[in-house]
Amino acid sequence: MTIKVVVFDFDGTIADTHDTFVEIVNRLAKNFGYQPINEEDLARLKNLSSQEIIKQSQVSPVKIPFLLYRVKRELNKQIECLKPFHGWHHCLATLKERGYRLGIITSNTK
């Protein structure tokens, strides 16, 4: 017997967190000593490793865990306002109809 399972990540896969993430990162920029980002910066950063992004950000390595904590905390505060990407309802319904067990993985608290 084969069990068919599909597991999705919540942030950025099911939920459209892009604009909220950028707003949070830019709001925290002054506190953590880096420049706010724009769409051009994001396109460039998507091709870099985490280590390269940290190096280019010029944020002290000591501050990185605190920055990540703040971004996650701020995102969790806005979780109920996030919307799924268009078409997810149909996609999930189709997978369910075809006998897949579905799951969501997230580091969010809600």
Side-chain angles (χ1 to χ4, degrees), residues 21-110:
F21 176 79
V22 170
E23 184 271 320
I24 291 168
V25 167
N26 285 341
R27 188 167 14 99
L28 296 174
K30 186 175 180 181
N31 294 348
F32 286 90
Y34 60 88
Q35 293 297 311
I37 58 175
N38 57 38
E39 290 299 322
E40 185 178 299
D41 296 329
L42 283 172
R44 185 177 44 79
L45 294 172
K46 285 181 181 180
N47 296 317
L48 301 178
S49 69
S50 299
Q51 198 170 35
E52 291 169 323
I53 292 170
I54 291 168
K55 190 175 184 179
Q56 286 194 12
S57 74
Q58 298 179 340
V59 175
S60 165
V62 174
K63 291 183 179 181
I64 295 295
F66 300 102
L67 173 59
L68 295 174
Y69 172 78
R70 285 286 306 277
V71 169
K72 183 177 175 181
R73 192 174 86 194
E74 295 298 319
L75 191 57
N76 277 331
K77 287 180 185 177
Q78 297 183 40
I79 200 102
E80 292 176 7
C81 300
L82 298 174
K83 303 290 183 210
F85 283 106
H86 179 73
W88 265 106
H89 178 76
H90 176 71
C91 175
L92 294 175
T94 301
L95 289 169
K96 183 100 172 136
E97 287 172 9
R98 293 183 182 176
Y100 285 88
R101 294 181 76 183
L102 305 174
I104 298 172
I105 295 177
T106 184
S107 61
N108 298 318
T109 56
K110 293 185 179 181

